[in-house]
Amino acid sequence: MVLVKELQRFCKNGANVAFTYSSSTSSAQELENELNGLGIKAKGYQSNAADYEDSQKLVENVLTDFGTIDILINNAGVTKDNLLMRMSEEDFDKVIEINLKSVFNMTKAVQKTMLKNRKGSIINMSSVVGVKGNAGQANYAASKAGMIGFTKSIALELGSRNIRCNAIAPGFIETEMTAKLNEDVVKGWREGIPLKRGGSPEDVANVCVFLASDLSAYITGQVINVDGGMLT
C-alpha cells in the first residue's frame, strides 16, 4: 500500500516510473495502466531484487525503455517474526536476503548510470525497528539497521559525484494490514505516539518525493523518521 502511494505521488509530480513486482502480473498491469493514466510513462517489471543477476538485468531493461535512472527507491521487504530461541536459520537468512541484500544488488546495479550522469538520489526504506530494535524481530531489525549503515556508507562514497543516499524509517503506518489488528493493540500504539495517531502511506510518500527532488539537494546520509515522534 505504501509503495502504491509512493508511485502515485511521484507520477503526480511528473516523474516517469519503473516498478517491480514478484508474482501478480494482473495486479501489476492494473497498476501500470492506472499510473499511465496520470499522463506519464510507467512500466512494471517482474523481478527479484534479492537476486544479483535479476537486479542487473532489471536495470538494463529499464535503461533500454526509459533511457536513464535518476532515482532509486529500495523498498523490498518481508517479515518472519519470532523470538530468537524459536527463529530458524532459514527465517533469519531470508529476511536478510530480501531486505538487505536487495539494497546492495539494486544500488550496485544503478551506480554506473548515476556515476555517468553525475547525479542521482537513492532512498532506502528502513524502519524505526532498525533504529531501536524490537523483541521478536531480531532478523528484521538487523536487516533494517544494516540498511542504515549501508545508506551512510554510500552517501560518503558517492557524494562527490552528486549522488545522494538517504533512508526513511517509518513508524506505525496505518494500512490494510494494520486494520486487521486488535483495536486495543492499535489504540495502545497510538497512545504511545506524541501525535496520537498512526501515520498514513501518504506521509511516507511525501518524504520520498522530498528526498528525490531538488528540495533536498543538500541532504545525504540521513535517516528521516516518519513516526509521529515515536522515537523522540
Side-chain angles (χ1 to χ4, degrees), residues 59-60 62-64 66-71 106-120 161 163:
V59 169
E60 291 174 4
V62 172
L63 289 174
T64 297
F66 288 82
T68 190
I69 298 174
D70 300 313
I71 303 158
M106 289 303 302
T107 303
K108 179 85 170 175
V110 304
Q111 177 182 243
K112 184 177 179 179
T113 297
M114 289 185 173
L115 286 171
K116 180 180 178 181
N117 294 337
R118 297 189 69 86
K119 66 175 183 177
R161 298 295 186 91
I163 300 169

Side-chain angles (χ1 to χ4, degrees), residues 86-128:
R86 300 191 184 99
M87 185 178 293
S88 67
E89 180 184 11
E90 180 183 5
D91 283 350
F92 184 88
D93 288 347
K94 180 60 68 174
V95 171
I96 295 297
E97 178 186 38
I98 294 176
N99 295 7
L100 184 56
K101 177 71 184 311
S102 64
V103 179
F104 166 80
N105 291 342
M106 289 303 302
T107 303
K108 179 85 170 175
V110 304
Q111 177 182 243
K112 184 177 179 179
T113 297
M114 289 185 173
L115 286 171
K116 180 180 178 181
N117 294 337
R118 297 189 69 86
K119 66 175 183 177
S121 177
I122 300 167
I123 303 168
N124 296 323
M125 199 61 60
S126 184
S127 167
V128 293

Side-chain angles (χ1 to χ4, degrees), residues 159-198:
S160 63
R161 298 295 186 91
N162 195 35
I163 300 169
R164 299 180 293 110
C165 187
N166 293 286
I168 297 176
F172 178 59
I173 306 299
E174 298 196 17
T175 63
E176 293 178 2
M177 183 167 58
T178 60
K180 299 175 182 178
L181 297 175
N182 182 284
E183 179 57 33
D184 289 336
V185 173
V186 173
K187 183 178 179 181
W189 282 344
R190 288 180 184 141
E191 287 301 312
I193 298 171
L195 291 182
K196 302 302 179 186
R197 68 173 180 86

Side-chain angles (χ1 to χ4, degrees), residues 7-8 10-18 31-43 66:
L7 295 175
Q8 292 171 336
F10 272 95
C11 292
K12 290 176 180 177
N13 279 273
N16 294 323
V17 169
L31 178 58
E32 184 178 307
N33 293 339
E34 175 191 341
L35 297 177
N36 278 307
L38 297 175
I40 52 79
K41 179 179 179 179
K43 185 171 181 179
F66 288 82

